[in-house]
Amino acid sequence: MSEILIDKLTEEILKNEYFHNLLDRCSTSNALQNFPGLSATSWSELTDKELKDALRFADLLSNSSDSDARSYAYQIVTDLNPSFAENPFYKTVAKAVYSKLGNYPAINFLSLRNGNEAEIPFDRLLQSETKKLLQAVPFQEGLYFTDTQFKLYSRLIASSEFSFSGPTSMGKSFIIKTFIKNIIRNSPRENLVILVPTRALINQFTIDLKKDLNEDLNQFKYKVITNSNVTELTEDNFNYIMVLTPERLISFLSNDHQTPVGFLFVDEAHKLAQIKDTRSVTTYMAIEKSLFKFGRNLKLYFSSPNVSNPEIFLSLFNRNANNFFKTTESPVTQKIYFVDLIEKSIEKISKDKIVNKQLPFDDRLVDINSIISLLGRDQNNLIYNNSKTKTINTSKSFADTRKVTEDEPPEVSKAISQIREYVHPDYYLAELISKGVAYHHGKLPQLIRNIVEILYKNENVKYVFCTSTLLEGVNMPTKNLFVLNNQNGRSKLQEIDFWNLVGRAGRLNVELSGNIYCVRHDDCNWDNREKLFEKGDLTIVPTVTARIDKNLKKIEKILQEQDISGPETEQDVLKYIANIISIDTLQLKGSYQSPLITKLIEEKKDKIIELAKSKVQNINVPFGVLNGNASINISIQEKVYNQLLKAHQRGEKIVLPSSNSDQFYETCLALLEKFHQLYEWHNAEKKLRSLNSMSYYAMLMNKWISGFSLSQIIQQSLDYYETSGSTIEVDHQVYLPFEKGNIQHINIVIENIIEDLEYVLRFLLEKYFNHYYQVLIGILGEENAAENWSSLLEYGTQNRIVIALQNIGLSRHTAIAVYSKGRNHLVIEEKKLKSVDKQGLLKVFKVSSIEYDEILHML
């Protein structure tokens, strides 16, 4: 059948009312399979004629070049699978449709799960086999790209700058890893940077790379590293794949070294448009500074979910905006249901022309726990909430309805033991896992997150309650997703975030579809449901562009040192952008011009440029220091530099004291009090405003840098709370005296300590100590700048070998244990780590230990 005729038929079908009625009938058939015990009095099973007509429509639409038509074809066959998998006509048409769509995971599902060995017509078989030859995944025998994946991969390998977007379930990370397999075979070899938004994704991407590319990495001499400390890169004959956060990439770029980078991949690129988040500006900075350092030869790629205008990222950085790819086609489908506990109704959300359909309500759905239990039915379930506290509380509430798992699998017993040893015996998570339940949030220690993710992937835990970590790209696909809140933190979920969440439902290679249950209850009224459910074009505007377009008057005031109105987060973003513009004016006479300056010139905003120039025209801070620390107010940077310079000229000692001090706590406290005044934390940092809190953070610094384990730090903190009679915040602004043995109080302290270590020490304090050290280098030179305390805060150790072990992917905990117990299996030359005997180290640790697991997967 000719393409012209197919396109004509497709056009007619998509206008046909009977087709849309059948589409609704198929979808309802599938929906009723998901709600056990519902009476379907208002619905009758498809007749034989309806079944055959629906399948014929699917067969015709699968031949279309229209992505919506192809999606309808997939939807029909998928919807009918639960009820008609044994039907001979269904078997043949389903296999033919999936073959035409090039959806090989779905074909495998039919064979493995349904026992579908139907023969398809010879011409279809020939077409399918030809397609498999063309779409075979390179360097990976027996794997085949779907049609959409193949189109994307073909475009990707032919481009030196590219931006693409697609559904979360499309397998974008798989395509990137396949592309990397291709790159590391190039000659000459080049270093790569993969930019990810969070530390958690560093760990996830590193594990995936080492698992899927291990032989290739060894053969083509590539190392995967996770930090910016290039002084530890000792192998001259190796190249590097650096998996970094924006902050770590900026740190890497600010180092005085000549490590070239040929490729930059920006994963989760839509984070550049998180308008209320200063980290979106940091991501912009990291990319822009990479382009400044490595020039047009840097090959640049962006990956994002569900974005309708992925070319915007290329435009932002003055690259060719024609090199983009976007698709809405997914190898799995998502079914959305609105379960209303207040009105006692269930609605099937439709994405086509048919209005949303009301389904019979099951009176057993009385609360959130019963919804999860009944609709989850021991499948894999993710349950989203908008805050860490709600996530932990709802997971505990649900676990209280379940019994401890009988005949506990050894993997679960091992995980419980590891958690109690690594964190604390009374940590909630250990008990929850014994009931097949867990929670997962952004501040969870990475080793614990790994445990939860592995248990979930292996279905030893089937209910994971989680926060917006899913929006940050954490790879946890699921059969069912329960959305208990329409917010992210205190802000409303944006459409792109909602559809990013939705895309987690449906596991490629495991099932054909996933279910999303949006639950209305007393604490969430879903007042923005219509806006979220209407999946139109998800166009985005990068934060820096949006703010310049809409807030020039406020930026102008900031440059004039005037106060501005608005929420604190918005003010922080605008001050950050004003800093960047000011710093970028220092390059106006050079060959490189930043995208922001280019935009301001194009829009004839000369006044803004002149104000920015005046802000830095008499600045003494070296350009490299300013350029690497744009999130710190320029006036404060100038104040710090001038004070230290004058002190040095007076003969005073300005370098930081040795971390080997006998009275290390007192040293930490004195430094924090000094920094509090020097950097004006009482105005600049909400978490560090109180001078009295410096004693607490000094205690944490002391233990952290001295190499104390997390469990030791937690136990000593609990002992302090007990003996000092301190109060804790048990609810919002509700404080009670700490009670020994109170499990709730113990867990509140644990969560607070973990968050303070990860955010205050390893992010905020690390940033300021790194700035101070860079100022010292500017005044004294690197050879006289003494110790860099920012590294001590980042790595939690003073030991260079332990730092090197962390750079190759081990956690602080395991790196310290390896150095302590397995030093004989490390090759150390001239105080530098040269190589690691993995097999020897594995013999040092118990098979059941958390260290053994990490060595096995990360080295």
mmCIF file of all heavy atoms in Angstrom, residues 702-732:
data_model
loop_
_atom_site.group_PDB
_atom_site.id
_atom_site.type_symbol
_atom_site.label_atom_id
_atom_site.label_comp_id
_atom_site.label_asym_id
_atom_site.label_seq_id
_atom_site.Cartn_x
_atom_site.Cartn_y
_atom_site.Cartn_z
ATOM 1 N N ASN A 702 34.252 18.654 62.507
ATOM 2 C CA ASN A 702 35.297 17.940 63.254
ATOM 3 C C ASN A 702 35.188 16.436 63.022
ATOM 4 O O ASN A 702 36.157 15.769 62.653
ATOM 5 C CB ASN A 702 35.163 18.286 64.741
ATOM 6 C CG ASN A 702 36.127 17.507 65.612
ATOM 7 O OD1 ASN A 702 37.191 17.084 65.167
ATOM 8 N ND2 ASN A 702 35.746 17.299 66.865
ATOM 9 N N LYS A 703 33.993 15.896 63.211
ATOM 10 C CA LYS A 703 33.795 14.448 63.066
ATOM 11 C C LYS A 703 33.927 14.017 61.613
ATOM 12 O O LYS A 703 34.521 12.984 61.295
ATOM 13 C CB LYS A 703 32.412 14.049 63.591
ATOM 14 C CG LYS A 703 32.125 14.462 65.032
ATOM 15 C CD LYS A 703 33.098 13.822 65.998
ATOM 16 C CE LYS A 703 32.755 14.221 67.437
ATOM 17 N NZ LYS A 703 33.775 13.724 68.394
ATOM 18 N N TRP A 704 33.359 14.794 60.701
ATOM 19 C CA TRP A 704 33.331 14.444 59.290
ATOM 20 C C TRP A 704 34.736 14.407 58.691
ATOM 21 O O TRP A 704 35.140 13.421 58.068
ATOM 22 C CB TRP A 704 32.454 15.448 58.545
ATOM 23 C CG TRP A 704 32.339 15.243 57.061
ATOM 24 C CD1 TRP A 704 32.884 16.016 56.087
ATOM 25 C CD2 TRP A 704 31.607 14.213 56.385
ATOM 26 N NE1 TRP A 704 32.544 15.543 54.842
ATOM 27 C CE2 TRP A 704 31.760 14.428 55.003
ATOM 28 C CE3 TRP A 704 30.839 13.133 56.816
ATOM 29 C CZ2 TRP A 704 31.182 13.603 54.050
ATOM 30 C CZ3 TRP A 704 30.251 12.315 55.871
ATOM 31 C CH2 TRP A 704 30.418 12.540 54.507
ATOM 32 N N ILE A 705 35.489 15.473 58.892
ATOM 33 C CA ILE A 705 36.831 15.554 58.311
ATOM 34 C C ILE A 705 37.780 14.572 58.984
ATOM 35 O O ILE A 705 38.712 14.049 58.358
ATOM 36 C CB ILE A 705 37.372 16.997 58.410
ATOM 37 C CG1 ILE A 705 36.516 17.927 57.534
ATOM 38 C CG2 ILE A 705 38.828 17.081 57.977
ATOM 39 C CD1 ILE A 705 36.851 19.408 57.664
ATOM 40 N N SER A 706 37.527 14.271 60.247
ATOM 41 C CA SER A 706 38.385 13.324 60.983
ATOM 42 C C SER A 706 38.114 11.872 60.609
ATOM 43 O O SER A 706 38.767 10.969 61.129
ATOM 44 C CB SER A 706 38.200 13.519 62.493
ATOM 45 O OG SER A 706 38.576 14.826 62.878
ATOM 46 N N GLY A 707 37.125 11.634 59.736
ATOM 47 C CA GLY A 707 36.907 10.288 59.238
ATOM 48 C C GLY A 707 35.945 9.443 60.043
ATOM 49 O O GLY A 707 35.863 8.228 59.823
ATOM 50 N N PHE A 708 35.188 10.053 60.960
ATOM 51 C CA PHE A 708 34.194 9.292 61.719
ATOM 52 C C PHE A 708 33.128 8.767 60.753
ATOM 53 O O PHE A 708 32.747 9.443 59.799
ATOM 54 C CB PHE A 708 33.534 10.169 62.780
ATOM 55 C CG PHE A 708 34.365 10.391 64.007
ATOM 56 C CD1 PHE A 708 35.588 11.052 63.941
ATOM 57 C CD2 PHE A 708 33.933 9.950 65.247
ATOM 58 C CE1 PHE A 708 36.356 11.268 65.066
ATOM 59 C CE2 PHE A 708 34.690 10.156 66.383
ATOM 60 C CZ PHE A 708 35.918 10.810 66.298
ATOM 61 N N SER A 709 32.630 7.582 61.012
ATOM 62 C CA SER A 709 31.572 7.020 60.167
ATOM 63 C C SER A 709 30.260 7.739 60.442
ATOM 64 O O SER A 709 30.088 8.398 61.475
ATOM 65 C CB SER A 709 31.408 5.526 60.440
ATOM 66 O OG SER A 709 30.867 5.314 61.742
ATOM 67 N N LEU A 710 29.317 7.586 59.518
ATOM 68 C CA LEU A 710 28.005 8.202 59.697
ATOM 69 C C LEU A 710 27.342 7.692 60.968
ATOM 70 O O LEU A 710 26.767 8.482 61.737
ATOM 71 C CB LEU A 710 27.108 7.900 58.492
ATOM 72 C CG LEU A 710 25.667 8.422 58.579
ATOM 73 C CD1 LEU A 710 25.637 9.939 58.678
ATOM 74 C CD2 LEU A 710 24.853 7.952 57.372
ATOM 75 N N SER A 711 27.409 6.416 61.232
ATOM 76 C CA SER A 711 26.772 5.850 62.431
ATOM 77 C C SER A 711 27.402 6.414 63.706
ATOM 78 O O SER A 711 26.697 6.660 64.694
ATOM 79 C CB SER A 711 26.865 4.329 62.427
ATOM 80 O OG SER A 711 28.214 3.898 62.412
ATOM 81 N N GLN A 712 28.727 6.641 63.692
ATOM 82 C CA GLN A 712 29.401 7.227 64.863
ATOM 83 C C GLN A 712 28.942 8.668 65.084
ATOM 84 O O GLN A 712 28.672 9.080 66.218
ATOM 85 C CB GLN A 712 30.925 7.192 64.670
ATOM 86 C CG GLN A 712 31.532 5.809 64.780
ATOM 87 C CD GLN A 712 33.013 5.818 64.425
ATOM 88 O OE1 GLN A 712 33.437 6.466 63.470
ATOM 89 N NE2 GLN A 712 33.803 5.096 65.203
ATOM 90 N N ILE A 713 28.861 9.434 63.984
ATOM 91 C CA ILE A 713 28.423 10.826 64.096
ATOM 92 C C ILE A 713 27.002 10.891 64.630
ATOM 93 O O ILE A 713 26.674 11.708 65.501
ATOM 94 C CB ILE A 713 28.532 11.538 62.729
ATOM 95 C CG1 ILE A 713 30.000 11.630 62.287
ATOM 96 C CG2 ILE A 713 27.918 12.934 62.783
ATOM 97 C CD1 ILE A 713 30.195 12.154 60.869
ATOM 98 N N ILE A 714 26.136 10.020 64.131
ATOM 99 C CA ILE A 714 24.744 9.994 64.577
ATOM 100 C C ILE A 714 24.650 9.625 66.047
ATOM 101 O O ILE A 714 23.944 10.290 66.826
ATOM 102 C CB ILE A 714 23.925 9.009 63.712
ATOM 103 C CG1 ILE A 714 23.701 9.607 62.318
ATOM 104 C CG2 ILE A 714 22.581 8.693 64.372
ATOM 105 C CD1 ILE A 714 23.112 8.635 61.312
ATOM 106 N N GLN A 715 25.359 8.582 66.460
ATOM 107 C CA GLN A 715 25.278 8.135 67.854
ATOM 108 C C GLN A 715 25.803 9.192 68.808
ATOM 109 O O GLN A 715 25.204 9.444 69.874
ATOM 110 C CB GLN A 715 26.047 6.824 68.052
ATOM 111 C CG GLN A 715 25.849 6.188 69.421
ATOM 112 C CD GLN A 715 24.389 5.950 69.760
ATOM 113 O OE1 GLN A 715 23.672 5.280 69.020
ATOM 114 N NE2 GLN A 715 23.914 6.532 70.850
ATOM 115 N N GLN A 716 26.906 9.841 68.459
ATOM 116 C CA GLN A 716 27.449 10.885 69.328
ATOM 117 C C GLN A 716 26.512 12.085 69.405
ATOM 118 O O GLN A 716 26.392 12.716 70.459
ATOM 119 C CB GLN A 716 28.842 11.298 68.834
ATOM 120 C CG GLN A 716 29.885 10.195 69.031
ATOM 121 C CD GLN A 716 31.271 10.618 68.576
ATOM 122 O OE1 GLN A 716 31.527 11.784 68.307
ATOM 123 N NE2 GLN A 716 32.181 9.655 68.509
ATOM 124 N N SER A 717 25.833 12.371 68.303
ATOM 125 C CA SER A 717 24.852 13.466 68.318
ATOM 126 C C SER A 717 23.667 13.113 69.204
ATOM 127 O O SER A 717 23.170 13.964 69.958
ATOM 128 C CB SER A 717 24.380 13.763 66.894
ATOM 129 O OG SER A 717 25.455 14.200 66.098
ATOM 130 N N LEU A 718 23.197 11.874 69.122
ATOM 131 C CA LEU A 718 22.092 11.432 69.972
ATOM 132 C C LEU A 718 22.491 11.503 71.445
ATOM 133 O O LEU A 718 21.688 11.904 72.306
ATOM 134 C CB LEU A 718 21.676 10.011 69.596
ATOM 135 C CG LEU A 718 20.974 9.853 68.236
ATOM 136 C CD1 LEU A 718 20.826 8.371 67.878
ATOM 137 C CD2 LEU A 718 19.604 10.527 68.242
ATOM 138 N N ASP A 719 23.717 11.113 71.738
ATOM 139 C CA ASP A 719 24.219 11.195 73.125
ATOM 140 C C ASP A 719 24.218 12.654 73.600
ATOM 141 O O ASP A 719 23.864 12.940 74.761
ATOM 142 C CB ASP A 719 25.639 10.623 73.215
ATOM 143 C CG ASP A 719 25.674 9.115 72.986
ATOM 144 O OD1 ASP A 719 24.614 8.464 73.103
ATOM 145 O OD2 ASP A 719 26.761 8.590 72.682
ATOM 146 N N TYR A 720 24.614 13.567 72.702
ATOM 147 C CA TYR A 720 24.635 14.984 73.065
ATOM 148 C C TYR A 720 23.220 15.483 73.348
ATOM 149 O O TYR A 720 22.976 16.185 74.341
ATOM 150 C CB TYR A 720 25.268 15.808 71.930
ATOM 151 C CG TYR A 720 25.092 17.294 72.114
ATOM 152 C CD1 TYR A 720 25.915 18.010 72.998
ATOM 153 C CD2 TYR A 720 24.099 17.993 71.427
ATOM 154 C CE1 TYR A 720 25.740 19.372 73.182
ATOM 155 C CE2 TYR A 720 23.921 19.352 71.601
ATOM 156 C CZ TYR A 720 24.746 20.038 72.487
ATOM 157 O OH TYR A 720 24.571 21.385 72.671
ATOM 158 N N TYR A 721 22.272 15.133 72.470
ATOM 159 C CA TYR A 721 20.876 15.553 72.678
ATOM 160 C C TYR A 721 20.354 15.043 74.019
ATOM 161 O O TYR A 721 19.621 15.741 74.726
ATOM 162 C CB TYR A 721 19.991 15.043 71.539
ATOM 163 C CG TYR A 721 19.932 15.953 70.350
ATOM 164 C CD1 TYR A 721 20.806 15.794 69.278
ATOM 165 C CD2 TYR A 721 18.998 16.987 70.274
ATOM 166 C CE1 TYR A 721 20.752 16.632 68.169
ATOM 167 C CE2 TYR A 721 18.931 17.824 69.176
ATOM 168 C CZ TYR A 721 19.809 17.650 68.131
ATOM 169 O OH TYR A 721 19.760 18.485 67.043
ATOM 170 N N GLU A 722 20.724 13.827 74.355
ATOM 171 C CA GLU A 722 20.228 13.226 75.597
ATOM 172 C C GLU A 722 20.788 13.922 76.826
ATOM 173 O O GLU A 722 20.057 14.235 77.774
ATOM 174 C CB GLU A 722 20.620 11.739 75.617
ATOM 175 C CG GLU A 722 20.158 11.012 76.868
ATOM 176 C CD GLU A 722 20.694 9.593 76.919
ATOM 177 O OE1 GLU A 722 21.103 9.060 75.874
ATOM 178 O OE2 GLU A 722 20.720 9.023 78.036
ATOM 179 N N THR A 723 22.092 14.191 76.812
ATOM 180 C CA THR A 723 22.732 14.765 78.005
ATOM 181 C C THR A 723 22.510 16.270 78.133
ATOM 182 O O THR A 723 22.510 16.806 79.235
ATOM 183 C CB THR A 723 24.241 14.485 77.981
ATOM 184 O OG1 THR A 723 24.815 15.001 76.775
ATOM 185 C CG2 THR A 723 24.501 12.979 78.060
ATOM 186 N N SER A 724 22.296 16.941 76.998
ATOM 187 C CA SER A 724 22.176 18.408 77.036
ATOM 188 C C SER A 724 20.746 18.877 77.262
ATOM 189 O O SER A 724 20.516 20.052 77.540
ATOM 190 C CB SER A 724 22.693 18.999 75.720
ATOM 191 O OG SER A 724 21.850 18.615 74.649
ATOM 192 N N GLY A 725 19.795 17.950 77.101
ATOM 193 C CA GLY A 725 18.395 18.348 77.239
ATOM 194 C C GLY A 725 17.912 19.232 76.112
ATOM 195 O O GLY A 725 16.994 20.046 76.300
ATOM 196 N N SER A 726 18.489 19.063 74.923
ATOM 197 C CA SER A 726 18.129 19.902 73.773
ATOM 198 C C SER A 726 16.724 19.578 73.278
ATOM 199 O O SER A 726 16.208 18.480 73.490
ATOM 200 C CB SER A 726 19.129 19.692 72.633
ATOM 201 O OG SER A 726 20.429 20.052 73.045
ATOM 202 N N THR A 727 16.131 20.553 72.593
ATOM 203 C CA THR A 727 14.812 20.345 71.988
ATOM 204 C C THR A 727 14.980 20.021 70.501
ATOM 205 O O THR A 727 15.998 20.371 69.892
ATOM 206 C CB THR A 727 13.924 21.585 72.139
ATOM 207 O OG1 THR A 727 14.568 22.694 71.486
ATOM 208 C CG2 THR A 727 13.691 21.901 73.597
ATOM 209 N N ILE A 728 13.964 19.367 69.952
ATOM 210 C CA ILE A 728 13.958 19.088 68.514
ATOM 211 C C ILE A 728 12.616 19.527 67.933
ATOM 212 O O ILE A 728 11.607 19.571 68.637
ATOM 213 C CB ILE A 728 14.196 17.596 68.214
ATOM 214 C CG1 ILE A 728 13.132 16.724 68.899
ATOM 215 C CG2 ILE A 728 15.594 17.167 68.604
ATOM 216 C CD1 ILE A 728 13.164 15.281 68.464
ATOM 217 N N GLU A 729 12.619 19.824 66.637
ATOM 218 C CA GLU A 729 11.398 20.241 65.952
ATOM 219 C C GLU A 729 10.662 18.992 65.469
ATOM 220 O O GLU A 729 11.089 18.328 64.526
ATOM 221 C CB GLU A 729 11.730 21.149 64.764
ATOM 222 C CG GLU A 729 10.498 21.783 64.125
ATOM 223 C CD GLU A 729 10.855 22.788 63.035
ATOM 224 O OE1 GLU A 729 12.033 22.825 62.623
ATOM 225 O OE2 GLU A 729 9.952 23.524 62.591
ATOM 226 N N VAL A 730 9.552 18.654 66.121
ATOM 227 C CA VAL A 730 8.813 17.435 65.782
ATOM 228 C C VAL A 730 7.755 17.693 64.717
ATOM 229 O O VAL A 730 7.253 16.766 64.084
ATOM 230 C CB VAL A 730 8.154 16.814 67.032
ATOM 231 C CG1 VAL A 730 9.205 16.360 68.032
ATOM 232 C CG2 VAL A 730 7.183 17.797 67.677
ATOM 233 N N ASP A 731 7.400 18.949 64.537
ATOM 234 C CA ASP A 731 6.465 19.366 63.485
ATOM 235 C C ASP A 731 6.832 20.805 63.147
ATOM 236 O O ASP A 731 7.717 21.389 63.778
ATOM 237 C CB ASP A 731 5.020 19.247 63.968
ATOM 238 C CG ASP A 731 4.030 19.104 62.819
ATOM 239 O OD1 ASP A 731 4.449 19.326 61.660
ATOM 240 O OD2 ASP A 731 2.864 18.771 63.062
ATOM 241 N N HIS A 732 6.164 21.387 62.160
ATOM 242 C CA HIS A 732 6.518 22.736 61.748
ATOM 243 C C HIS A 732 6.404 23.708 62.921
ATOM 244 O O HIS A 732 5.313 23.963 63.437
ATOM 245 C CB HIS A 732 5.615 23.188 60.600
ATOM 246 C CG HIS A 732 5.945 24.554 60.082
ATOM 247 N ND1 HIS A 732 7.187 24.874 59.558
ATOM 248 C CD2 HIS A 732 5.202 25.695 60.008
ATOM 249 C CE1 HIS A 732 7.191 26.134 59.195
ATOM 250 N NE2 HIS A 732 5.999 26.665 59.449
#
